[in-house]
Short mmCIF file of all heavy atoms in Angstrom, two decimals:
data_model
loop_
_atom_site.label_atom_id
_atom_site.label_comp_id
_atom_site.label_asym_id
_atom_site.label_seq_id
_atom_site.Cartn_x
_atom_site.Cartn_y
_atom_site.Cartn_z
N GLU A 1091 -16.19 -8.28 -1.29
CA GLU A 1091 -17.38 -7.54 -1.67
C GLU A 1091 -18.21 -7.24 -0.38
O GLU A 1091 -18.78 -6.13 -0.23
CB GLU A 1091 -18.14 -8.26 -2.66
CG GLU A 1091 -17.53 -8.32 -4.05
CD GLU A 1091 -18.25 -9.18 -5.02
OE1 GLU A 1091 -19.09 -10.02 -4.61
OE2 GLU A 1091 -17.98 -9.04 -6.25
N ALA A 1092 -18.18 -8.22 0.54
CA ALA A 1092 -18.97 -7.99 1.77
C ALA A 1092 -18.34 -6.88 2.62
O ALA A 1092 -19.06 -6.10 3.26
CB ALA A 1092 -19.04 -9.30 2.59
N ALA A 1093 -17.01 -6.86 2.66
CA ALA A 1093 -16.31 -5.86 3.41
C ALA A 1093 -16.64 -4.43 2.82
O ALA A 1093 -16.82 -3.50 3.58
CB ALA A 1093 -14.81 -6.09 3.40
N ALA A 1094 -16.64 -4.36 1.51
CA ALA A 1094 -16.95 -3.05 0.87
C ALA A 1094 -18.40 -2.61 1.18
O ALA A 1094 -18.63 -1.47 1.49
CB ALA A 1094 -16.73 -3.16 -0.64
N ALA A 1095 -19.30 -3.55 1.09
CA ALA A 1095 -20.69 -3.23 1.33
C ALA A 1095 -20.87 -2.81 2.82
O ALA A 1095 -21.60 -1.83 3.10
CB ALA A 1095 -21.56 -4.46 1.07
N ALA A 1096 -20.21 -3.50 3.75
CA ALA A 1096 -20.31 -3.16 5.17
C ALA A 1096 -19.70 -1.78 5.42
O ALA A 1096 -20.24 -0.99 6.18
CB ALA A 1096 -19.60 -4.22 5.95
N ALA A 1097 -18.57 -1.50 4.76
CA ALA A 1097 -17.93 -0.15 4.92
C ALA A 1097 -18.83 0.95 4.46
O ALA A 1097 -18.95 2.00 5.12
CB ALA A 1097 -16.61 -0.14 4.22
N GLU A 1098 -19.51 0.76 3.39
CA GLU A 1098 -20.36 1.77 2.81
C GLU A 1098 -21.59 1.95 3.70
O GLU A 1098 -22.05 3.06 3.97
CB GLU A 1098 -20.76 1.37 1.37
CG GLU A 1098 -21.52 2.49 0.65
CD GLU A 1098 -21.60 2.26 -0.82
OE1 GLU A 1098 -20.59 2.06 -1.45
OE2 GLU A 1098 -22.73 2.35 -1.37
N ALA A 1099 -22.22 0.80 4.13
CA ALA A 1099 -23.39 0.89 4.96
C ALA A 1099 -23.11 1.56 6.32
O ALA A 1099 -23.98 2.22 6.88
CB ALA A 1099 -23.96 -0.51 5.18
N SER A 1100 -21.89 1.40 6.82
CA SER A 1100 -21.52 1.97 8.11
C SER A 1100 -21.50 3.47 8.08
O SER A 1100 -21.56 4.13 9.14
CB SER A 1100 -20.21 1.38 8.62
OG SER A 1100 -19.11 1.94 7.84
N GLU A 1101 -21.19 4.05 6.95
CA GLU A 1101 -20.96 5.47 6.77
C GLU A 1101 -19.82 5.99 7.60
O GLU A 1101 -19.76 7.18 7.89
CB GLU A 1101 -22.23 6.26 7.04
CG GLU A 1101 -23.37 5.90 6.02
CD GLU A 1101 -24.59 6.83 6.14
OE1 GLU A 1101 -24.82 7.39 7.26
OE2 GLU A 1101 -25.27 7.00 5.11
N ALA A 1102 -18.92 5.11 7.99
CA ALA A 1102 -17.75 5.49 8.78
C ALA A 1102 -16.88 6.46 7.99
O ALA A 1102 -16.17 7.31 8.57
CB ALA A 1102 -16.93 4.29 9.18
N PHE A 1103 -16.85 6.34 6.66
CA PHE A 1103 -16.03 7.16 5.78
C PHE A 1103 -16.77 8.37 5.28
O PHE A 1103 -16.25 9.12 4.38
CB PHE A 1103 -15.47 6.32 4.63
CG PHE A 1103 -14.69 5.13 5.17
CD1 PHE A 1103 -15.27 3.86 5.26
CD2 PHE A 1103 -13.36 5.28 5.52
CE1 PHE A 1103 -14.54 2.83 5.72
CE2 PHE A 1103 -12.62 4.23 6.01
CZ PHE A 1103 -13.22 2.96 6.14
N GLY A 1104 -17.91 8.67 5.78
CA GLY A 1104 -18.70 9.85 5.33
C GLY A 1104 -20.13 9.43 4.91
O GLY A 1104 -20.30 8.42 4.20
N ARG A 1105 -21.04 10.21 5.30
CA ARG A 1105 -22.47 9.91 4.93
C ARG A 1105 -22.62 9.99 3.44
O ARG A 1105 -22.34 10.99 2.82
CB ARG A 1105 -23.39 10.89 5.67
CG ARG A 1105 -24.84 10.54 5.55
CD ARG A 1105 -25.70 11.37 6.44
NE ARG A 1105 -27.09 10.98 6.39
CZ ARG A 1105 -28.05 11.53 7.18
NH1 ARG A 1105 -27.75 12.51 7.97
NH2 ARG A 1105 -29.28 11.11 7.00
N GLY A 1106 -23.22 8.95 2.90
CA GLY A 1106 -23.45 8.96 1.43
C GLY A 1106 -22.26 8.67 0.58
O GLY A 1106 -22.38 8.65 -0.63
N LYS A 1107 -21.11 8.43 1.21
CA LYS A 1107 -19.88 8.20 0.45
C LYS A 1107 -19.88 6.78 -0.19
O LYS A 1107 -20.23 5.83 0.52
CB LYS A 1107 -18.65 8.33 1.31
CG LYS A 1107 -18.33 9.81 1.69
CD LYS A 1107 -17.56 10.46 0.57
CE LYS A 1107 -16.95 11.79 1.07
NZ LYS A 1107 -16.09 12.43 0.06
N LYS A 1108 -19.47 6.69 -1.43
CA LYS A 1108 -19.40 5.40 -2.07
C LYS A 1108 -18.02 4.80 -1.86
O LYS A 1108 -17.01 5.48 -1.84
CB LYS A 1108 -19.63 5.53 -3.59
CG LYS A 1108 -21.02 6.04 -3.94
CD LYS A 1108 -22.07 4.95 -3.69
CE LYS A 1108 -23.45 5.36 -4.12
NZ LYS A 1108 -24.52 4.39 -3.81
N ILE A 1109 -17.96 3.50 -1.58
CA ILE A 1109 -16.72 2.75 -1.45
C ILE A 1109 -16.19 2.45 -2.89
O ILE A 1109 -16.88 1.79 -3.68
CB ILE A 1109 -16.88 1.50 -0.66
CG1 ILE A 1109 -17.27 1.81 0.79
CG2 ILE A 1109 -15.53 0.76 -0.61
CD1 ILE A 1109 -16.40 2.78 1.57
N ARG A 1110 -14.94 2.89 -3.16
CA ARG A 1110 -14.37 2.75 -4.50
C ARG A 1110 -13.33 1.70 -4.60
O ARG A 1110 -12.59 1.64 -5.62
CB ARG A 1110 -13.77 4.09 -4.93
CG ARG A 1110 -14.68 5.29 -4.81
CD ARG A 1110 -15.86 5.18 -5.81
NE ARG A 1110 -16.72 6.36 -5.75
CZ ARG A 1110 -17.85 6.50 -6.47
NH1 ARG A 1110 -18.24 5.51 -7.21
NH2 ARG A 1110 -18.54 7.63 -6.38
N VAL A 1111 -13.21 0.84 -3.61
CA VAL A 1111 -12.23 -0.24 -3.60
C VAL A 1111 -12.58 -1.26 -4.72
O VAL A 1111 -13.65 -1.85 -4.70
CB VAL A 1111 -12.10 -0.88 -2.25
CG1 VAL A 1111 -11.07 -2.06 -2.33
CG2 VAL A 1111 -11.66 0.11 -1.20
N GLU A 1112 -11.70 -1.44 -5.67
CA GLU A 1112 -11.90 -2.41 -6.70
C GLU A 1112 -11.64 -3.82 -6.20
O GLU A 1112 -10.72 -4.06 -5.38
CB GLU A 1112 -11.02 -2.18 -7.92
CG GLU A 1112 -11.27 -0.81 -8.57
CD GLU A 1112 -10.30 -0.56 -9.70
OE1 GLU A 1112 -10.13 -1.47 -10.52
OE2 GLU A 1112 -9.68 0.54 -9.72
N VAL A 1113 -12.43 -4.78 -6.62
CA VAL A 1113 -12.19 -6.21 -6.34
C VAL A 1113 -11.76 -6.83 -7.66
O VAL A 1113 -12.51 -6.91 -8.63
CB VAL A 1113 -13.46 -6.88 -5.76
CG1 VAL A 1113 -13.15 -8.39 -5.56
CG2 VAL A 1113 -13.88 -6.25 -4.46
N ILE A 1114 -10.49 -7.27 -7.72
CA ILE A 1114 -9.86 -7.65 -8.95
C ILE A 1114 -9.36 -9.10 -8.85
O ILE A 1114 -8.76 -9.51 -7.79
CB ILE A 1114 -8.62 -6.72 -9.32
CG1 ILE A 1114 -9.15 -5.26 -9.38
CG2 ILE A 1114 -8.00 -7.16 -10.61
CD1 ILE A 1114 -7.99 -4.28 -9.54
N PRO A 1115 -9.55 -9.90 -9.90
CA PRO A 1115 -8.95 -11.25 -9.88
C PRO A 1115 -7.47 -11.24 -9.63
O PRO A 1115 -6.75 -10.39 -10.10
CB PRO A 1115 -9.29 -11.81 -11.26
CG PRO A 1115 -10.49 -11.05 -11.68
CD PRO A 1115 -10.29 -9.66 -11.14
N ALA A 1116 -7.00 -12.18 -8.82
CA ALA A 1116 -5.57 -12.27 -8.48
C ALA A 1116 -4.70 -12.20 -9.72
O ALA A 1116 -4.94 -12.81 -10.70
CB ALA A 1116 -5.28 -13.53 -7.68
N ALA A 1117 -3.66 -11.42 -9.65
CA ALA A 1117 -2.75 -11.24 -10.73
C ALA A 1117 -1.31 -11.55 -10.33
O ALA A 1117 -1.06 -11.63 -9.11
CB ALA A 1117 -2.84 -9.79 -11.28
N GLU A 1118 -0.43 -11.71 -11.28
CA GLU A 1118 0.94 -11.94 -10.93
C GLU A 1118 1.52 -10.79 -10.14
O GLU A 1118 1.33 -9.62 -10.52
CB GLU A 1118 1.83 -12.23 -12.14
CG GLU A 1118 3.22 -12.60 -11.84
CD GLU A 1118 3.95 -13.23 -13.07
OE1 GLU A 1118 3.41 -13.12 -14.19
OE2 GLU A 1118 5.07 -13.76 -12.84
N PHE A 1119 2.20 -11.10 -9.08
CA PHE A 1119 2.82 -10.07 -8.21
C PHE A 1119 4.31 -9.98 -8.50
O PHE A 1119 4.99 -10.95 -8.55
CB PHE A 1119 2.56 -10.38 -6.75
CG PHE A 1119 3.19 -9.43 -5.76
CD1 PHE A 1119 2.57 -8.27 -5.40
CD2 PHE A 1119 4.46 -9.71 -5.24
CE1 PHE A 1119 3.15 -7.39 -4.46
CE2 PHE A 1119 5.03 -8.81 -4.34
CZ PHE A 1119 4.38 -7.64 -4.00
N TRP A 1120 4.83 -8.72 -8.58
CA TRP A 1120 6.23 -8.49 -8.81
C TRP A 1120 6.76 -7.66 -7.67
O TRP A 1120 6.26 -6.61 -7.33
CB TRP A 1120 6.42 -7.68 -10.13
CG TRP A 1120 5.91 -8.40 -11.37
CD1 TRP A 1120 4.63 -8.22 -11.90
CD2 TRP A 1120 6.61 -9.33 -12.15
NE1 TRP A 1120 4.48 -9.05 -12.96
CE2 TRP A 1120 5.67 -9.73 -13.20
CE3 TRP A 1120 7.89 -9.84 -12.19
CZ2 TRP A 1120 6.05 -10.60 -14.17
CZ3 TRP A 1120 8.22 -10.69 -13.20
CH2 TRP A 1120 7.30 -11.12 -14.13
N ALA A 1121 7.72 -8.20 -7.02
CA ALA A 1121 8.34 -7.51 -5.86
C ALA A 1121 8.96 -6.18 -6.31
O ALA A 1121 9.62 -6.19 -7.39
CB ALA A 1121 9.38 -8.36 -5.17
N ALA A 1122 8.85 -5.12 -5.56
CA ALA A 1122 9.45 -3.88 -5.92
C ALA A 1122 10.97 -3.91 -5.65
O ALA A 1122 11.47 -4.85 -5.01
CB ALA A 1122 8.85 -2.71 -5.13
N GLU A 1123 11.66 -2.87 -6.04
CA GLU A 1123 13.10 -2.73 -5.84
C GLU A 1123 13.41 -2.84 -4.38
O GLU A 1123 12.59 -2.43 -3.54
CB GLU A 1123 13.63 -1.44 -6.50
CG GLU A 1123 13.44 -1.34 -7.98
CD GLU A 1123 12.07 -0.89 -8.46
OE1 GLU A 1123 11.10 -0.92 -7.65
OE2 GLU A 1123 11.94 -0.55 -9.67
N ASP A 1124 14.62 -3.24 -4.05
CA ASP A 1124 15.03 -3.46 -2.70
C ASP A 1124 14.82 -2.16 -1.80
O ASP A 1124 14.46 -2.25 -0.67
CB ASP A 1124 16.49 -3.86 -2.60
CG ASP A 1124 16.67 -5.27 -3.05
OD1 ASP A 1124 15.70 -6.03 -3.20
OD2 ASP A 1124 17.86 -5.71 -3.35
N TYR A 1125 15.05 -1.04 -2.41
CA TYR A 1125 15.00 0.24 -1.58
C TYR A 1125 13.57 0.55 -1.19
O TYR A 1125 13.33 1.37 -0.29
CB TYR A 1125 15.69 1.42 -2.29
CG TYR A 1125 14.93 1.90 -3.55
CD1 TYR A 1125 13.98 2.89 -3.47
CD2 TYR A 1125 15.21 1.38 -4.80
CE1 TYR A 1125 13.31 3.33 -4.60
CE2 TYR A 1125 14.60 1.82 -5.94
CZ TYR A 1125 13.66 2.77 -5.81
OH TYR A 1125 13.01 3.27 -6.95
N HIS A 1126 12.61 -0.09 -1.77
CA HIS A 1126 11.20 0.09 -1.40
C HIS A 1126 10.75 -0.78 -0.22
O HIS A 1126 9.80 -0.54 0.47
CB HIS A 1126 10.24 -0.20 -2.53
CG HIS A 1126 10.16 0.93 -3.55
ND1 HIS A 1126 9.60 2.16 -3.22
CD2 HIS A 1126 10.57 1.02 -4.82
CE1 HIS A 1126 9.64 2.93 -4.33
NE2 HIS A 1126 10.23 2.27 -5.29
N GLN A 1127 11.53 -1.87 0.00
CA GLN A 1127 11.11 -2.82 1.03
C GLN A 1127 11.37 -2.32 2.44
O GLN A 1127 12.40 -1.67 2.69
CB GLN A 1127 11.89 -4.15 0.77
CG GLN A 1127 11.76 -4.78 -0.58
CD GLN A 1127 10.30 -4.99 -0.99
OE1 GLN A 1127 9.41 -5.23 -0.18
NE2 GLN A 1127 10.02 -4.87 -2.29
N ASP A 1128 10.43 -2.58 3.32
CA ASP A 1128 10.55 -2.16 4.74
C ASP A 1128 10.87 -0.64 4.85
O ASP A 1128 11.61 -0.24 5.76
CB ASP A 1128 11.64 -2.96 5.47
CG ASP A 1128 11.23 -4.46 5.57
OD1 ASP A 1128 10.06 -4.77 5.70
OD2 ASP A 1128 12.18 -5.27 5.43
N PHE A 1129 10.23 0.10 4.03
CA PHE A 1129 10.50 1.53 4.00
C PHE A 1129 10.32 2.21 5.32
O PHE A 1129 11.06 3.08 5.74
CB PHE A 1129 9.56 2.21 2.93
CG PHE A 1129 9.70 3.72 2.80
CD1 PHE A 1129 10.71 4.19 1.93
CD2 PHE A 1129 8.91 4.61 3.45
CE1 PHE A 1129 10.89 5.56 1.75
CE2 PHE A 1129 9.13 5.97 3.34
CZ PHE A 1129 10.08 6.46 2.49
N TYR A 1130 9.29 1.76 6.07
CA TYR A 1130 8.99 2.39 7.38
C TYR A 1130 10.07 2.09 8.37
O TYR A 1130 10.20 2.74 9.41
CB TYR A 1130 7.64 2.01 7.86
CG TYR A 1130 7.51 0.60 8.41
CD1 TYR A 1130 7.72 0.34 9.73
CD2 TYR A 1130 7.23 -0.49 7.51
CE1 TYR A 1130 7.58 -1.01 10.24
CE2 TYR A 1130 7.16 -1.78 7.99
CZ TYR A 1130 7.33 -2.04 9.36
OH TYR A 1130 7.20 -3.36 9.80
N LYS A 1131 10.84 1.00 8.14
CA LYS A 1131 11.96 0.65 9.05
C LYS A 1131 13.24 1.33 8.62
O LYS A 1131 14.00 1.78 9.51
CB LYS A 1131 12.20 -0.89 9.03
CG LYS A 1131 10.97 -1.70 9.63
CD LYS A 1131 11.31 -3.23 9.52
CE LYS A 1131 10.17 -4.03 10.06
NZ LYS A 1131 10.48 -5.48 9.91
#
Side-chain angles (χ1 to χ4, degrees):
E1091 291 176 342
E1098 189 166 306
S1100 74
E1101 297 190 332
F1103 301 97
R1105 188 170 184 178
K1107 288 276 192 177
K1108 296 291 184 181
I1109 297 301
R1110 306 295 184 183
V1111 177
E1112 298 176 48
V1113 177
I1114 304 173
E1118 186 165 10
F1119 177 86
W1120 301 90
E1123 296 84 344
D1124 288 345
Y1125 68 90
H1126 280 293
Q1127 305 305 330
D1128 295 324
F1129 181 84
Y1130 74 94
K1131 295 179 181 177

